[in-house]
Amino acid sequence: MSSAPQFAKVVVFGVGLIGGSFALALKAAGQVGEVVGFGRTLGSLTQALELGLLDRIGFNVGQEVCNADLVLIAAPVGRSGEIMARLAPFIGAQTVVTDAGSTKQDVVAAAREHFAERLGQFVPAHPIAGAENSGAAAARADLYRQKQVVITPLAENPPAFVERVRAAWACCGALVRELSPAEHDHVFAAVSHLPHLLSFALVHELALRSNHELLFAYAASGFRDFTRIAASHPEMWRDICLANRSALLAELDGYRAQLEGLREALAAGDGARLEAVFELAREARRAWADRKASE
């Protein structure tokens, strides 16, 4: 006789790659009784229903949220406040709300504004997983397997509510870590948000050239690897960059200083300086890859 799932009812706002994969992973693990979805268009929700991501499409926020075990906000971070305002009046006493946003301080600020005395029921989180494609059709049950998920608990969170969010991501196969919201935003400005900005910028600059078709015709694996993330969702990354702009600007300034140093070395024909930079970077990259391979 099978045991009851850990989550009788999960409500997902934004049933695309992230929210849809969360739903599929919980279903594959047999740990959710029912998934109800909300989204911006009926067409996308109907597709999610047909693909088996959802059990039902939600129409009444109050009716669905009041008795949910877990609510996941998986929409672009720029919409977090709007969604929080919609669901805040209806959060049940035992309902835990979490999110999947790539920035945390702005999301926490929105939660403080909209959830007020219910703030303890919001446990912020960020799954470090994704793909170039977006939408319900891109969702898959194994997206989070052996991938990191960072939760950034608040002082107001009861331990049991933090554990519920941790357990949900563990059911998805994720490796759950913890940071403070501020630590999270500074870390990911450096290792995620800046790389995306640079990748978008390079492809944009080449695309504006009059001979862009010739350039792209000769682009090979190095270009493909460096620019893969430029195929990411523009709206989502617009919101992320703006939400974390202070930390991202600091990282961008540091990177510009590095580029200026390389430009000076190149102009001076200083091969030793170039090689020293390349060598340190290679060793750091190899050490990182070795750690990831051993995890």
Side-chain angles (χ1 to χ4, degrees), residues 14 21 29 34 39 93 96 124-125 128 162 195 204 236 278:
S21 294
E34 177 182 47
V96 175
I128 316 305
V162 176
H204 181 264
M236 180 181 77
F278 298 165

Side-chain angles (χ1 to χ4, degrees), residues 10-226:
V10 170
V11 176
V12 178
F13 284 82
V15 194
L17 172 67
I18 299 301
S21 294
F22 181 77
L24 283 180
L26 289 179
K27 285 173 171 287
Q31 294 300 334
V32 63
E34 177 182 47
V35 179
V36 181
F38 287 86
R40 283 190 284 188
T41 68
L42 182 59
S44 63
L45 289 169
T46 301
Q47 181 185 35
L49 185 67
E50 293 171 347
L51 291 170
L53 280 61
L54 302 177
D55 297 296
R56 286 191 296 111
I57 295 172
F59 293 99
N60 186 311
V61 172
Q63 178 179 315
E64 303 297 353
V65 168
C66 66
N67 62 353
D69 296 308
L70 190 66
V71 176
L72 173 68
I73 300 173
V77 290
R79 295 188 56 225
S80 296
E82 162 203 336
I83 293 171
M84 289 175 180
R86 287 177 62 195
L87 64 89
F90 308 110
I91 300 173
Q94 295 303 311
T95 297
V96 175
V97 181
T98 188
D99 77 310
S102 296
T103 56
K104 294 274 72 84
Q105 292 180 99
D106 62 311
V107 172
V108 171
R112 291 189 183 280
E113 176 185 355
H114 296 292
F115 289 156
E117 70 276 3
R118 295 286 195 187
L119 180 63
Q121 293 174 244
F122 177 68
V123 181
H126 174 203
I128 316 305
E132 296 89 77
N133 297 320
S134 57
R140 63 179 204 262
D142 65 348
L143 181 67
Y144 303 114
R145 194 168 300 155
Q146 293 300 302
K147 299 293 176 58
Q148 294 190 74
V149 171
V150 179
I151 58 175
T152 63
L154 308 178
E156 294 85 352
N157 293 144
F161 288 173
V162 176
E163 182 54 36
R164 190 180 304 178
V165 173
R166 180 186 294 275
W169 286 113
C171 288
C172 296
L175 308 171
V176 185
R177 308 283 190 251
E178 284 192 26
L179 291 171
S180 72
E183 288 174 327
H184 171 280
D185 287 356
H186 283 92
V187 167
F188 286 94
V191 299
S192 176
H193 307 165
L194 179 64
H196 277 81
L197 195 70
L198 300 179
S199 184
F200 281 125
L202 175 61
V203 178
H204 181 264
E205 195 273 328
L206 294 179
L208 292 178
R209 296 189 190 184
S210 60
N211 65 338
H212 64 273
E213 290 185 0
L214 176 65
L215 296 174
F216 288 138
Y218 283 93
S221 59
F223 180 83
R224 179 199 63 209
D225 294 343
F226 184 76

